[in-house]
Amino acid sequence: MGFDIGLAAVILLTAVLAHRRHRHLDLAAVAVTTMLVVDAWFDVMTTPLGEAGGILVALATACLVELPLAVLSLWIALTAGDLTGTGHPQPPGPEGRTHRAPPSTSA
């Protein structure tokens, strides 16, 4: 129960940072990704094997909710620089470079 409250708090923090376009959005999104994967793993691994319905619910929750949200959160972390304006500048393309002829070799 405590871990789920912490997860909800980090998800809320990530949403607030995204709304404010804060430069630390990527860090919060990585924390959400990690916590979702850990929560999915923990739920599946701690379900008693004797409960057939329990393990199916744990696997379904992990595969249909927690892991897809973890992938979404990882995508947010990887593209946060575009949202916040703190991404790395792209190098100039071929149109931005001056073409220089190779040195001539005269024999």
Side-chain angles (χ1 to χ4, degrees):
M1 182 71 169
F3 187 83
D4 292 330
I5 292 171
L7 176 58
V10 175
I11 290 172
L12 180 63
L13 171 68
T14 303
V16 169
L17 292 177
H19 178 71
R20 294 181 180 176
R21 299 177 185 261
H22 195 276
R23 63 187 178 104
H24 292 307
L25 170 61
D26 56 345
L27 299 176
V30 167
V32 169
T33 301
T34 303
M35 291 180 79
L36 283 167
V37 170
V38 167
D39 193 35
W41 173 80
F42 187 78
D43 290 345
V44 170
M45 296 305 291
T46 58
T47 301
L49 292 177
E51 295 181 29
I55 193 71
L56 291 177
V57 169
L59 284 170
T61 304
C63 293
L64 299 175
V65 178
E66 292 169 330
L67 295 178
L69 286 176
V71 170
L72 175 64
S73 182
L74 181 61
W75 177 79
I76 290 170
L78 293 174
T79 60
D82 297 338
L83 175 67
T84 61
T86 59
H88 299 290
Q90 296 294 323
E95 65 279 352
R97 297 183 187 144
T98 58
H99 179 69
R100 201 166 30 163
S104 62
T105 56
S106 56

